Amino acid sequence: MTVYLVGAGPGDADLLTIRAARLLANAQVVVHDRLIGPGVLDVINPDAIRYDVGKLPGLSQSQERINQLLITLGREYEHVVRLKGGDPFVFGRGGEEVRALTDNSIRVDVVPGISSAFGAPLLAGIPVTHRGLSHGVTVVTGRSLKGSSIDFSKLANPDITLVVLMGVERRRDIATALIKGGLSPSTPIATIEWASTSSERVQRGSLDGLGELQVVAPAVLVIGPVAELATNHVETLIADLALQP
Ligand SMILES: C[S@@+](CC[C@H](N)C(=O)[O-])C[C@H]1O[C@@H](n2cnc3c(N)ncnc32)[C@H](O)[C@@H]1O
């Protein structure tokens, strides 16, 4: 009896790992989130029982109820898949589900997925690190939890790319705090909505215009000089790499 916590990637079924696809094809039960692409759902064993535990934002079931459902199913079935968007351990509450299951002596196996934190910028042609432009990348949530929120002014660093998940609502405040912290208002930014799906949309601009951009969730915000790079810069990237072996 195993519950497999499986990363579904950002949406496109072609971005599933082979292991994820195999587990979905053999699942007896699949418990999935809202942001799972239709192509990914098609990979599921047609005879599997399915639970959609997050149909609409705000109406999603509480984590406690989801944990309880997983425990019940984990006791009853041999092969349960808990399918989660992106990577299960990147803002996916995967750690909480693992703990709830192991506390109840249910075996858990976690399968990584492509996180939107890295997959969405890549699909927009943005390398999150790039020699001479960005020495690293910080991935943060834009959403505050129980009254506390990240102080974005402390994350202002022109040498590090900032990738914000769940940041659409607070994008104006985030931009203001980063500028207050010392980032130039002209710092390039990009927003990537619905990465890897037919609704994918990429917008580019500067930090001082982030609040004005019309952005639809789910989206990833990329802040930093690399946000200016695009697929049509690939030749430049290749040339750079050739010069610096
Ligand atoms: C609860 S977090 C889950 C993240 C997920 N575990 C991951 O690794 O991608 C949901 C957020 O991920 C981002 N996201 C997930 N899928 C996305 C996609 N296809 N395109 C853009 N952003 C996406 C959005 O910022 C969204 O608000």
Side-chain angles (χ1 to χ4, degrees):
M1 290 192 178
T2 304
V3 175
Y4 297 89
L5 247 71
V6 176
D12 182 353
D14 282 358
L15 297 178
L16 280 170
T17 63
I18 292 171
R19 180 137 195 259
R22 279 194 192 127
L23 288 168
L24 288 172
N26 292 313
Q28 292 170 291
V29 188
V30 177
V31 179
H32 69 85
D33 286 336
R34 184 175 60 94
L35 290 181
I36 302 292
V40 173
L41 298 179
D42 288 347
V43 177
I44 298 173
N45 168 13
D47 297 326
I49 304 162
R50 299 178 189 205
Y51 292 87
D52 179 346
V53 290
K55 280 190 175 150
L56 289 169
L59 288 183
S60 59
Q61 305 195 20
S62 78
Q63 189 63 47
E64 186 45 46
R65 284 175 65 194
I66 294 172
N67 292 351
Q68 210 45 59
L69 175 66
L70 292 175
I71 292 163
T72 307
L73 294 171
R75 286 189 177 132
E76 202 172 327
Y77 294 93
E78 287 296 324
H79 186 131
V80 178
V81 171
R82 169 67 173 121
L83 186 61
K84 303 179 73 70
D87 184 278
F89 280 1
V90 179
F91 299 124
R93 306 192 72 169
E96 293 167 52
E97 294 178 7
V98 169
R99 184 170 290 173
L101 288 160
T102 50
D103 281 354
N104 284 275
S105 309
I106 294 164
R107 196 169 163 264
V108 188
D109 196 350
V110 188
V111 180
I114 295 178
S115 175
S116 61
F118 297 113
L122 181 148
L123 292 167
I126 300 170
V128 288
T129 65
H130 184 59
R131 195 186 283 240
L133 277 187
S134 166
H135 301 308
V137 53
T138 301
V139 179
V140 284
T141 173
R143 203 175 275 168
S144 37
L145 179 69
K146 289 180 192 149
S148 71
S149 61
I150 294 172
D151 181 355
F152 274 85
S153 67
K154 293 193 177 133
L155 298 180
N157 182 341
D159 298 327
I160 302 282
T161 305
L162 198 56
V163 172
V164 187
L165 270 59
M166 297 172 277
V168 170
E169 257 175 60
R170 291 191 59 231
R171 64 192 181 283
R172 186 183 300 273
D173 300 339
I174 291 168
T176 305
L178 288 168
I179 293 169
K180 190 175 141 214
L183 270 196
S184 163
S186 63
T187 302
I189 60 102
T191 64
I192 306 115
E193 301 164 12
W194 288 107
S196 87
T197 73
S198 54
S199 308
E200 179 176 299
R201 184 169 72 137
V202 181
Q203 299 185 80
R204 289 170 208 274
S206 53
L207 189 55
D208 57 358
L210 180 57
E212 304 304 323
L213 277 186
Q214 297 301 311
V215 190
V216 175
V220 167
L221 317 179
V222 183
I223 300 164
V226 292
E228 216 167 32
L229 301 176
T231 346
N232 58 9
H233 285 68
V234 162
E235 291 80 6
T236 322
L237 298 182
I238 291 167
D240 282 1
L241 290 172
L243 283 172
Q244 300 167 1

